[in-house]
């Protein structure tokens, strides 16, 4: 165990290590690590590992994806002490805001891990089908990480080979089209090899359905409606996924990696681990559940709360509105005390964090992508209506009004995405790709100034300080 831990530290496969009190048993390098199937599995697992990092889906990503939208806000009686969160909310962030550096460096570290697998695993003598799957997983994750970067920052440096030295690290930004070309190729390569599902010990790894779902999302983002609807339909036709009978069932710990889970960040129960970032940190500090006080991250806006109909079953699963007379009582200083309740499993008493996974793509997202892409190709699609109505009916809502215009259906679809997928990291991307970010933020808070250049975040200043070839996004 000591040997393996030290080895993983030396080749960068774990994010942090405490081995100062241990003596090395031999000399390890990347060149002599990739020797067998166990080494390959450890290397692939390390590509997934940054998802749980606090700089990604452990905390920073879901804060960025929500805080910079009309779904969440900072201030208004809540703490304004956390400057990066306040800057995201008020659109006063700059290239020096450390949120962007945290994401950038963590994602590129993960990409390098993926490149190492893609480069080195082919030479390992092992079962060829398993080898092909591991390489496909690494390509899936590389595609996922670059898709993250290109949507946040636009064109970014393309690194497709393992970085093994500190020389020649100044790389110019590739075009957006070139980044997407790699993303599509990686997901396409992955979907051809990955299995539909895994046995219990490997659940949470990338699947064929996940690769197809991300391709659908890529094509939706690129407004390639025929390809988006085709890929979403392929996910549906796999027969692997389905909706839980009740919306709340999708967020029970017992159901994680279940039939709605297309791709999730994996969290562990017990202690104060990854899951606590969601169910713990999103709750306010005046509400203690299982003995853990929250920090009130990602507080919901009144705008979002009022967007739900009173009879929408999703509202009280997703959000909790406190009052001066509720138990616990909200402080009078909090003007609209509404917080995220979605990831708190009410059956998980006794767990400090609940261990709930974070749903990066959930099956309803696929269904709504399919309906949206169909509508963009032709209004009054029967399949588009029946698909969105599956989502609405589960929420206790009636069918969408028939014979809507294309624009009316589009508006209804985007609202449905907001209500169904709130605090699952989709809102900012939806507002950006539909060019509604400015109008949505103005409706939420007219005091917040959002401009055209905010459709991309700034390239981190610390990266530009060390890489003179990195050009800044316009407006920053």
């Amino acid at each position: 165990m000591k040997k393996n831990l030290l080895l993983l530290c030396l080749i960068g496969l774990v994010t942090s290590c405490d081995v100062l009190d241990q003596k090395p048993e031999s000399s390890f390098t990347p060149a002599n690590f990739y020797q067998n199937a166990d080494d390959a599995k450890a290397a692939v697992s390390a590509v997934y590992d940054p998802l749980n990092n606090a700089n990604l889906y452990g905390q920073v990503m879901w804060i960025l994806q929500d805080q910079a939208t009309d779904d969440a806000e900072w201030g208004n009686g809540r703490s304004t002490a956390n400057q990066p969160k306040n800057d995201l909310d008020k659109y006063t962030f700059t290239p020096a805001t450390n949120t962007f550096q945290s994401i950038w460096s963590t994602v590129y570290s993960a990409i390098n891990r993926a490149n190492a697998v893609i480069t080195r695993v082919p030479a390992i003598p092992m079962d060829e089908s398993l080898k092909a799957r591991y390489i496909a997983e690494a390509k899936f994750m590389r595609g996922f990480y670059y898709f993250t970067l290109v949507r946040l920052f636009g064109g970014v440096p393309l690194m497709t080979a393992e970085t093994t030295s500190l020389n020649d690290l100044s790389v110019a930004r590739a075009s957006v089209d070139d980044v997407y070309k790699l993303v599509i190729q990686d997901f396409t390569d992955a979907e051809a090899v990955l299995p539909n599902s895994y046995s219990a010990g490997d659940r949470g790894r990338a699947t064929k359905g996940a690769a197809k779902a991300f391709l659908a999302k890529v094509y939706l983002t690129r407004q390639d409606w025929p390809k988006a609807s085709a890929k979403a339909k392929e996910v549906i036709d796999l027969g692997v996924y389905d909706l839980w009978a009740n919306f709340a069932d999708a967020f029970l710990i017992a159901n994680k990696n279940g039939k709605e889970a297309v791709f999730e960040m994996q969290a562990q129960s017990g202690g104060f681990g990854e899951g606590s970032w969601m169910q713990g940190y999103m709750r306010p500090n005046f509400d203690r559940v299982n003995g853990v006080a929250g920090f009130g991250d990602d507080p919901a806006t009144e705008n979002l709360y009022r967007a739900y109909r009173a009879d929408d079953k999703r509202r009280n699963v997703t959000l909790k509105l406190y009052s001066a007379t509720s138990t616990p009582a909200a402080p009078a200083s909090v003007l609209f005390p509404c917080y995220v309740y979605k990831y708190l499993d009410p059956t998980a008493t006794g767990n400090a964090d609940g261990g709930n996974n974070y749903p990066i793509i959930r099956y309803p997202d696929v269904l709504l992508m399919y309906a949206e892409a169909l509508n963009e190709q032709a209004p009054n699609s029967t399949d588009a209506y029946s698909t969105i109505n599956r989502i609405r009916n589960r929420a206790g809502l009636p069918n969408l009004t028939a014979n809507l215009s294309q624009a009316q259906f589009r508006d209804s679809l985007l609202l449905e995405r907001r209500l169904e997928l709130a605090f699952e990291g989709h809102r900012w991307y939806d507002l950006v790709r539909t060019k509604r970010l400015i109008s949505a933020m103005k409706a939420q808070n007219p005091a917040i100034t959002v401009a055209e250049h905010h459709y991309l975040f700034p390239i981190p200043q610390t990266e530009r300080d060390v890489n003179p070839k990195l050009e800044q996004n316009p407006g920053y």
Side-chain angles (χ1 to χ4, degrees):
M1 180 65 183
K2 293 180 180 179
K3 171 182 172 182
N4 289 340
L5 180 59
L6 178 60
L7 171 58
L8 294 177
C9 290
L10 289 173
I11 64 175
L13 296 182
V14 292
T15 54
S16 63
C17 299
D18 182 9
V19 294
L20 296 179
D21 62 339
Q22 305 189 36
K23 297 180 180 179
E25 298 179 24
S26 59
S27 178
F28 305 105
T29 67
N32 64 26
F33 169 68
Y34 295 87
Q35 300 297 311
N36 54 49
D38 287 342
D39 295 344
K41 183 175 183 179
V44 173
S45 296
V47 181
Y48 291 95
D49 182 66
L51 291 176
N52 300 68
N53 192 300
N55 289 332
L56 288 184
Y57 287 92
Q59 188 184 31
V60 171
M61 279 299 291
W62 52 256
I63 289 175
L64 178 144
Q65 293 167 148
D66 296 322
Q67 202 67 64
T69 77
D70 51 352
D71 281 358
E73 63 183 340
W74 203 256
N76 287 340
R78 289 123 167 177
S79 172
T80 57
N82 191 310
Q83 194 61 44
K85 294 172 186 173
N86 200 44
D87 285 340
L88 282 170
D89 177 58
K90 304 300 188 295
Y91 276 76
T92 54
F93 52 78
T94 71
T97 301
N98 62 17
T99 303
F100 309 121
Q101 176 61 39
S102 298
I103 294 170
W104 183 284
S105 59
T106 304
V107 168
Y108 269 108
S109 175
I111 288 170
N112 196 50
R113 297 181 186 190
N115 287 337
V117 171
I118 295 166
T119 301
R120 297 182 181 274
V121 167
I124 296 177
M126 58 180 290
D127 178 82
E128 291 298 322
S129 62
L130 183 58
K131 178 191 295 186
R133 195 198 90 194
Y134 285 158
I135 295 169
E137 288 183 65
K139 286 190 174 183
F140 172 93
M141 290 306 301
R142 185 173 69 179
F144 168 81
Y145 288 127
Y146 270 119
F147 187 38
T148 299
L149 289 174
V150 74
R151 289 196 291 170
L152 295 177
F153 302 108
V156 294
L158 279 181
M159 312 291 288
T160 57
E162 179 187 6
T163 300
T164 57
S165 98
L166 298 179
N167 298 321
D168 301 321
L169 294 182
S170 293
V171 180
R173 299 173 65 179
S175 68
V176 168
D177 287 342
D178 283 346
V179 177
Y180 272 112
K181 183 177 179 180
L182 176 66
V183 169
I184 291 170
Q185 189 62 60
D186 276 349
F187 284 140
T188 300
D189 289 348
E191 74 166 334
V193 176
L194 293 174
N196 286 345
S197 61
Y198 294 91
S199 58
D202 282 327
R203 284 178 185 164
R205 292 180 176 272
T207 62
K208 186 181 298 292
K212 290 179 182 294
F214 273 107
L215 278 170
K217 191 170 285 289
V218 169
Y219 292 134
L220 196 82
T221 303
R222 303 285 280 168
Q223 297 188 351
D224 189 336
W225 309 118
K227 289 183 179 179
S229 60
K231 279 300 169 188
K233 186 63 162 59
E234 287 178 21
V235 179
I236 296 168
D237 290 345
L238 285 174
V240 173
Y241 310 102
D242 201 358
L243 299 180
W244 293 104
N246 301 305
F247 178 74
D249 292 346
F251 309 100
L252 297 178
I253 294 169
N255 292 338
K256 68 182 186 178
N257 296 316
K259 60 185 179 181
E260 280 194 27
V262 178
F263 190 64
E264 299 186 333
M265 182 207 81
Q266 303 297 303
Q268 300 296 318
S269 296
F272 198 64
E274 296 93 342
S276 63
W277 292 109
M278 295 175 293
Q279 83 94 332
Y281 277 54
M282 285 183 174
R283 286 185 293 98
N285 59 11
F286 56 82
D287 185 2
R288 301 180 68 89
V289 177
N290 302 327
V292 179
F295 288 86
D297 283 355
D298 249 16
T301 62
E302 184 173 0
N303 180 299
L304 173 62
Y305 186 84
R306 303 300 179 200
Y308 288 95
R309 286 174 37 157
D311 58 347
D312 191 325
K313 296 178 181 178
R314 296 170 297 192
R315 188 184 69 178
N316 292 340
V317 172
T318 302
L319 305 173
K320 183 173 182 178
L321 181 61
Y322 297 82
S323 70
T325 59
S326 63
T327 304
S333 58
V334 182
L335 302 184
F336 191 74
C338 189
Y339 295 85
V340 182
Y341 211 65
K342 198 169 201 174
Y343 301 109
L344 177 61
D345 185 340
T347 70
T349 56
N351 268 337
D353 66 12
N356 230 332
N357 287 354
Y358 183 89
I360 297 175
I361 287 192
R362 194 160 53 85
Y363 188 50
D365 185 12
V366 176
L367 296 177
L368 292 171
M369 287 193 289
Y370 179 58
E372 180 178 350
L374 289 178
N375 178 67
E376 293 299 336
Q377 294 172 74
N380 292 315
S381 162
T382 300
D383 282 350
Y385 274 91
S386 62
T387 301
I388 194 173
N389 286 335
R390 286 187 65 188
I391 305 295
R392 291 176 58 84
N393 293 165
R394 183 177 69 164
L397 302 180
N399 287 344
L400 197 63
T401 302
N403 300 316
L404 295 175
S405 69
Q406 188 179 54
Q408 288 171 329
F409 188 96
R410 183 185 298 128
D411 291 343
S412 298
L413 187 286
L414 290 172
L415 175 60
E416 208 63 44
R417 287 186 61 82
R418 185 186 191 190
L419 304 180
E420 175 72 24
L421 305 172
F423 297 98
E424 296 180 36
H426 301 286
R427 183 62 173 168
W428 188 81
Y429 302 113
D430 285 346
L431 292 175
V432 167
R433 67 181 177 81
T434 59
K435 292 296 182 182
R436 299 181 181 217
L437 179 65
I438 295 174
S439 59
M441 292 305 297
K442 185 176 182 179
Q444 149 61 18
N445 187 344
I448 297 175
T449 301
V450 182
E452 192 69 26
H453 69 273
H454 289 130
Y455 278 97
L456 288 174
F457 290 117
I459 302 298
Q461 186 59 46
T462 46
E463 293 298 322
R464 298 190 67 233
D465 289 342
V466 298
N467 181 359
K469 293 184 178 180
L470 276 181
E471 295 183 3
Q472 184 57 273
N473 283 326
Y476 295 104

